[in-house]
């Protein structure tokens, strides 16, 4: 590598851009700053973190249910990393719009993409396009106050189906069935509270294709279901099928054993006569159901209307390998809304190769590959855009370590940035009129959201419900930007 100013030394730090400020991006930046090469003084680094949203934290802020107990701990950990001052944050900067790959290459020696996955995976069954059929990820974005989604959500159904047996499916089902007043202790925006408060829902059904021993959610998420007030959980004995593979999973995996134990305890304690259950809402957990068709309302001329009226499933059975096969038995459930929560899917990044079948940037251990399968010098990926939307947030640390390790191995052969001065990227954004936000701006927005919560608490409850509110999330992007850049936006 030839350059008049040595890269990675005190004279000229290694300049690294991280695109995405969720856990994947923050972990990668943190691991790089704490690497042995940096701690020993052999290498110096200068890292800038970019995000398309005005606020940091990505999935933690816009992809996890607001009443989730682990949010606060993860946010606190990410906050400590960014609050140290050795990693700069640039929010409200959209890669592909405000900055191109050439812009990043001109200012940084290495680029790490940590853009995650925000779209719903497709479910290709008839009727999926009907009115009342929704993506779970879209619903999550709505109730988490995502700045780029509508403030309104159609909550008109009394009976709802949620397809999926992962943590997102349980989050969606819990948020749909939980009473809105019980969510005021969280940071939900006022428009979300109002929408959920007016919901007429009585029954939410969650469907999984396999059995209780094959579910993809975790014990914490499962137990959270039982914490909802005035919501009865209902299970069905015919769904509790276990084969030899299920027994092996239960005996070899403590998490599976815990979840199966919880579910079997619940059904054992359930009254035989379900009319004895008195809650105003019911959350049904179904297993061994594979979705076949969503059907619409019938009209007088024997056609169908474009609104969901029900969903058809084929009953399945375990095949001895941990998978399920169809039985040829079909069952219908009358519902007025269907939410698919079968996984997330990544979005293509401009000027970077993308695997549209897997929803990831092609890579080898985090080294981004081109169409021919060769490593693109200076480009890396981490998190869900690297490995797909699987695993828990904690798995992202090991993922980031692998990517950073390869980046450090490559550092002597990285393409050298032509304009590496830290102020150069600031001048570029300012010259283009990009209203970027900073870490200091996030602290101001954070303080503003907490103040809204304190004000609502002092008023005895913003909705006539006496509850202490830690914060109320600011939703409109323009308000977030204005507050972060020193203005005062209208309260929401």
């Amino acid at each position: 590598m030839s350059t008049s100013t040595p890269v990675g030394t005190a004279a000229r730090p290694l300049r690294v851009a991280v695109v995405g400020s969720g856990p994947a991006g923050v972990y990668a930046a943190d691991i790089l700053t704490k690497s042995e090469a940096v701690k020993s003084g052999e290498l110096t680094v200068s890292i800038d973190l970019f995000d398309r949203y005005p606020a940091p934290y990505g999935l933690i802020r816009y992809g996890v249910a607001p009443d989730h107990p682990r949010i606060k701990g993860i946010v606190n950990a990410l906050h400590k990393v960014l609050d140290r001052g050795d990693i700069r944050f640039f929010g409200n900067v959209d890669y592909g719009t405000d900055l191109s790959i050439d812009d990043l290459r001109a200012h940084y020696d290495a680029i790490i993409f940590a853009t995650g996955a925000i779209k719903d995976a497709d479910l290709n069954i008839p009727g999926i396009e009907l009115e009342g059929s929704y993506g779970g990820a879209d619903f999550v974005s709505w109730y988490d106050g995502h700045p780029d989604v509508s403030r309104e959500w159609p909550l008109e159904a009394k009976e709802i189906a949620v397809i999926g047996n992962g943590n997102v499916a349980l989050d969606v089902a819990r948020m749909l069935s939980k009473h809105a007043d019980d969510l005021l202790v969280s940071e939900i925006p006022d428009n979300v509270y109002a929408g959920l408060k007016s919901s007429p829902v009585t029954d939410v059904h969650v469907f999984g294709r396999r059995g209780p021993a094959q579910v993809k959610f975790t014990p914490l998420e499962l137990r959270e279901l039982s914490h909802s007030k005035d919501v009865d959980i209902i299970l069905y004995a015919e769904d509790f099928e276990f084969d030899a593979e299920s027994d092996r999973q239960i005996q070899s995996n403590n998490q599976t054993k815990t979840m199966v134990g919880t579910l079997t305890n619940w059904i054992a304690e359930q009254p035989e006569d379900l009319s004895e259950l008195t809650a105003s809402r019911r959350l049904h957990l179904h297993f061994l159901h594979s979705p076949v068709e969503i059907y619409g309302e019938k009209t007088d001329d024997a056609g169908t209307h474009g609104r969901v009226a029900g969903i058809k499933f084929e009953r399945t059975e375990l095949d001895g390998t941990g998978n399920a096969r169809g039985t040829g038995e079909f069952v219908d459930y009358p519902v007025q809304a269907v939410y698919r929560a079968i996984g997330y899917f990544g979005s293509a990044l401009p000027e970077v190769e993308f695997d549209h079948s897997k929803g990831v940037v092609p890579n080898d251990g985090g080294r981004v590959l081109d169409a021919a399968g060769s490593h693109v010098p200076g480009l890396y990926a981490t998190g869900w855009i690297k490995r797909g939307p699987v695993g828990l947030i904690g798995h992202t640390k090991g993922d980031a370590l692998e990517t950073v390790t390869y980046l450090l191995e490559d550092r002597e052969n990285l393409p050298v940035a032509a304009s590496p001065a830290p102020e150069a990227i600031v001048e570029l954004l300012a010259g283009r009129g990009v209203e970027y936000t900073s870490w200091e701006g996030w602290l101001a927005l954070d303080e503003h959201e907490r103040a809204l919560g304190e004000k609502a608490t002092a008023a005895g409850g913003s909705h006539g419900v006496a509850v202490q509110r830690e914060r109320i999330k600011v939703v409109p992007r323009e308000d977030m930007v204005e507050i972060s850049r020193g203005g005062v936006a209208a309260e929401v």
Side-chain angles (χ1 to χ4, degrees):
M1 179 175 63
S2 60
T3 175
S4 58
T5 305
V7 175
T9 67
R12 158 67 158 90
L14 178 72
R15 291 279 285 150
V16 179
V18 180
V19 181
S21 69
V26 176
Y27 288 153
D30 186 42
I31 289 170
L32 182 55
T33 63
K34 294 177 178 176
S35 64
E36 189 58 38
V38 172
K39 288 193 297 183
S40 68
E42 175 189 348
L43 175 72
T44 60
V45 294
S46 173
I47 304 173
D48 289 342
L49 195 64
F50 295 91
D51 204 289
R52 65 183 300 183
Y53 308 124
Y57 306 144
L59 178 71
I60 298 301
R61 183 170 168 93
Y62 295 121
V64 182
D67 61 341
H68 201 299
R70 288 191 301 168
I71 292 179
K72 189 174 297 184
I74 298 172
V75 166
N76 288 343
L78 300 181
H79 178 99
K80 288 179 181 178
V81 172
L82 296 180
D83 202 43
R84 294 195 311 245
D86 57 342
I87 301 168
R88 292 195 302 182
F89 171 71
F90 291 87
N92 203 41
V93 179
D94 185 24
Y95 168 73
T97 303
D98 301 316
L99 290 175
S100 67
I101 192 71
D102 288 339
D103 294 327
L104 292 177
R105 283 196 174 282
H107 294 82
Y108 301 93
D109 308 302
I111 304 157
I112 302 175
F113 291 103
T115 50
I118 60 173
K119 293 183 178 180
D120 284 285
D122 290 335
L123 177 63
N124 295 316
I125 61 173
I128 196 69
E129 77 290 344
L130 290 175
E131 183 182 354
S133 172
Y134 308 110
D138 293 335
F139 182 57
V140 172
S141 292
W142 174 75
Y143 67 59
D144 270 334
H146 194 294
D148 295 337
V149 303
S150 171
R151 303 281 73 82
E152 305 298 325
W153 188 272
L155 289 163
E156 303 162 351
K158 290 186 177 181
E159 299 160 300
I160 300 171
V162 178
I163 303 172
N165 256 186
N167 286 338
V168 174
L170 290 195
D171 279 352
V172 167
R174 192 178 68 257
M175 290 294 291
L176 286 167
S177 60
K178 199 168 186 175
H179 290 276
D181 288 349
D182 295 329
L183 289 165
L184 283 174
V185 294
S186 73
E187 61 184 29
I188 63 167
D190 282 355
N191 68 290
V192 175
Y193 171 83
L196 293 172
K197 181 73 172 178
S198 64
S199 171
V201 65
T202 59
D203 293 83
V204 177
H205 299 261
V206 182
F207 296 94
R209 185 173 56 84
R210 297 185 292 175
Q214 288 79 40
V215 295
K216 292 298 184 181
F217 44 76
T218 51
L220 178 62
E221 279 72 18
L222 180 60
R223 287 194 296 267
E224 282 179 23
L225 295 183
S226 64
H227 298 160
S228 296
K229 299 176 184 177
D230 191 34
V231 179
D232 282 326
I233 299 174
I234 300 177
L235 300 105
Y236 298 87
E238 61 268 25
D239 293 343
F240 279 72
E241 178 183 320
F242 301 95
D243 59 4
E245 175 60 19
S246 298
D247 292 337
R248 188 197 68 78
Q249 291 174 314
I250 293 169
Q251 295 303 317
S252 62
N253 187 301
N254 286 333
Q255 178 169 292
T256 301
K257 180 184 293 186
T258 298
M259 288 187 293
V260 170
T262 298
L263 290 167
T264 53
N265 285 340
W266 283 356
I267 195 169
E269 296 168 357
Q270 183 174 289
E272 291 187 15
D273 184 358
L274 296 182
S275 66
E276 295 178 17
L277 298 174
T278 59
S280 66
R281 294 179 177 178
R282 291 163 294 279
L283 180 56
H284 308 254
L285 299 181
H286 304 269
F287 306 104
L288 302 173
H289 283 69
S290 181
V292 173
E293 177 188 7
I294 301 170
Y295 54 87
E297 297 174 343
K298 296 292 183 181
T299 60
D300 293 339
D301 58 1
T304 57
H305 187 266
R307 173 175 285 280
V308 170
I311 182 168
K312 180 188 294 292
F313 290 89
E314 181 178 13
R315 291 304 308 260
T316 61
E317 62 184 7
L318 300 177
D319 66 1
T321 69
N323 291 311
R325 61 193 171 209
T327 64
E329 176 188 351
F330 296 90
V331 58
D332 285 17
Y333 291 85
V335 296
Q336 300 82 52
V338 174
Y339 290 75
R340 67 186 185 278
I342 58 173
Y344 285 85
F345 201 79
S347 300
L349 297 169
E351 302 176 277
V352 180
E353 190 66 25
F354 191 73
D355 186 333
H356 291 274
S357 65
K358 298 179 180 177
V360 299
V361 169
N363 68 92
D364 180 11
R367 290 179 169 125
V368 172
L369 305 177
D370 60 18
S374 301
H375 176 216
V376 182
L379 297 192
Y380 301 85
T382 191
W384 281 2
I385 200 64
K386 167 188 173 183
R387 58 184 166 86
V390 293
L392 302 176
I393 292 172
H395 297 154
T396 306
K397 288 185 177 180
D399 194 50
L401 177 60
E402 179 184 52
T403 294
V404 169
T405 298
Y406 281 128
L407 188 158
L408 291 172
E409 286 183 7
D410 299 339
R411 67 182 184 272
E412 295 298 328
N413 298 300
L414 294 172
V416 179
S419 303
E423 62 273 15
I425 191 69
V426 176
E427 294 171 357
L428 176 67
L429 292 171
R432 292 179 176 175
V434 178
E435 293 186 309
Y436 64 88
T437 60
S438 64
W439 178 247
E440 292 72 21
W442 159 247
L443 295 178
L445 179 58
D446 181 48
E447 183 178 352
H448 182 86
E449 291 184 345
R450 292 177 184 275
L452 291 178
E454 291 176 3
K455 183 176 180 180
T457 300
S462 58
H463 301 279
V465 180
V467 61
Q468 183 173 351
R469 303 203 65 183
E470 183 175 337
R471 71 164 69 231
I472 297 176
K473 187 180 287 185
V474 172
V475 177
R477 179 185 285 268
E478 58 271 21
D479 287 356
M480 295 173 67
V481 171
E482 186 175 0
I483 296 165
S484 299
R485 291 176 63 88
V488 179
E491 294 184 1
V492 294

